[in-house]
Amino acid sequence: QQQALDNYLLVKDYRNAVSLALSLDQPHRLRTIFQDVMMAAENRHGAESDDMPRADDAILGNAAIDKVVGTLSPEQLDRLLGYVRSWNTNGRFARVAQATLYCVLTQYSSETILALPSAKELIAALQPYSERHFSRLDGLLTGSFIVDYTLHAMDAVGSLDADRTDMDE
């Protein structure tokens, strides 16, 4: 079955690869699949300058992956959310964890998610780490605005100095 998973990945049959990785209980392999596909989608769209999402964009980088996530059995969904909980505890994997969580939340009703056997534990574990990641991102965004403002202020001062130098000559 490991060979079948490798073959699915080789031919980019992500739908079957994700299903098989879930059934083989391989969270690391599944995370790697998600990360690789998301990075490939970014590289494909990286040259474009607009930051607005396009209608053809898949949450996890590939429509087939989004579709398979949306058709999981309750047991598979519970397992996937358990993986997401694990991934979310590490800052390096927070992005793929949050994207996967977003994909799940957009495709399943709250009733379906709350009906899962470990729903309360999953939510309790996901919330504090998610808040921490978003707080960190908010701080980074604020810092980038401060740097941008400082650079623009320095350009303004530089142009004033250049004008004074021109007037002195």
Side-chain angles (χ1 to χ4, degrees), residues 7 11 17 22 34 47 55 57-58 103 108 116 125 128 135 139 148-149 162 169:
N7 290 340
V11 296
L22 269 171
F34 289 167
D57 280 349
C103 187
Y108 292 93
L116 297 173
S135 175
D148 190 45
Y149 172 78
E169 294 176 355

Side-chain angles (χ1 to χ4, degrees), residues 59 108 124 153 159:
I59 297 169
Y108 292 93
S159 66

